[in-house]
Amino acid sequence: GAVETPESQRALLSVAKFEALEEALLPNVFLSLGQASEPLPEVVSYFGAQIQAEGGERQGWAIQGAGLLASVTGDEQAQTSLVDALESQLGDGKREALALSALGNAGVARSFELIGTYLSADEPALRAEAVFALRNQHSEEASESIRQALSDDPEPLVRKEALRALSHRAAETHAPLAVEALKDSDVTVRLEAVKTLSAWLQSEEGELEAEVEANLHQVLKSAQGDEDSAVRDAASQVLAG
């Protein structure tokens, strides 16, 4: 609401620029500015300048706010400027993970190839961040990258994040992947598979085809026989809800 008015944006911007601003308030300021669908040029410029600044909490929150702002703005020029700034942080070891997260929020198609390069990074944490960053990329290439990470990556953390990315896609076409993940050797991955199935049932309630919904419930019933009690309990809780 209020952040859509030029006056409120200028007021928040003046707060953001206040050098003595308590760090605890930075998230509120930058994430609030990040909700402006029609950002003022000076807001976009300030985000870009702070992203390019050297370290600090302000830079980190500017990166996160810019990702949100790029996702909601209808101003193509502003979006391009914000994504340019975010992509400039890839290659900076200190801010790569945060930039990937922000680009994931932005969901701009042009970033797919850059994000994709991190799916083969040496660090599992970066691969995990990259695969989750594909959740708002809706191309078949992005879907295939998520599928490959889920089936082929040796790190449970990456497979978990692939499942989280899948939960943002349609159950009708992606449920078999989550079902297969219930056979994963790692209990945390199986737990995430239960969460993914639950997310589909909750977010698409009334929209799922009856057969698909019935199949998801049946799969969760099967998960009640998992060897690990955490998985059994999670499946039971979903079914009880």
Side-chain angles (χ1 to χ4, degrees), residues 57-222:
E57 289 294 314
R58 200 175 294 263
Q59 182 194 28
W61 286 110
I63 289 172
Q64 295 183 63
L68 292 176
L69 190 55
S71 73
V72 301
T73 182
D75 185 329
E76 186 174 344
Q77 184 175 355
Q79 185 185 72
T80 297
S81 177
L82 291 163
V83 173
D84 283 345
L86 291 172
E87 290 181 347
S88 74
Q89 297 303 298
L90 298 180
D92 179 349
K94 296 179 180 178
R95 295 294 180 181
E96 282 177 314
L98 198 54
L100 284 169
S101 176
L103 287 169
N105 285 330
V108 177
R110 74 167 227 196
S111 299
F112 168 69
E113 289 190 10
L114 274 174
I115 293 171
T117 62
Y118 284 85
L119 295 172
S120 56
D122 291 336
E123 296 179 42
L126 284 178
R127 299 201 304 275
E129 199 69 67
V131 73
F132 186 57
L134 295 178
R135 67 193 180 280
N136 292 322
Q137 298 277 342
H138 299 295
S139 67
E140 179 54 36
E141 291 85 353
S143 293
E144 179 58 29
S145 294
I146 294 170
R147 285 194 289 267
Q148 287 183 355
L150 179 57
S151 62
D152 298 342
D153 198 284
E155 288 291 333
L157 174 62
V158 180
R159 302 198 297 277
K160 280 179 57 182
E161 293 304 295
L163 282 164
R164 289 184 66 209
L166 276 184
S167 70
H168 291 256
R169 283 165 155 70
E172 281 80 0
T173 51
H174 296 88
L177 297 171
V179 172
E180 187 64 26
L182 285 170
K183 304 174 186 175
D184 198 280
S185 60
D186 187 272
V187 64
T188 64
V189 177
R190 300 200 303 277
L191 272 171
E192 195 63 47
V194 170
K195 292 178 184 178
T196 298
L197 295 170
S198 173
W200 279 325
L201 287 170
Q202 293 175 13
S203 66
E204 301 186 38
E205 187 174 358
E207 299 178 10
L208 284 174
E209 295 178 6
E211 183 179 355
V212 174
E213 185 172 358
N215 286 339
L216 294 183
H217 278 100
Q218 187 59 46
V219 168
L220 286 167
K221 288 179 181 178
S222 299

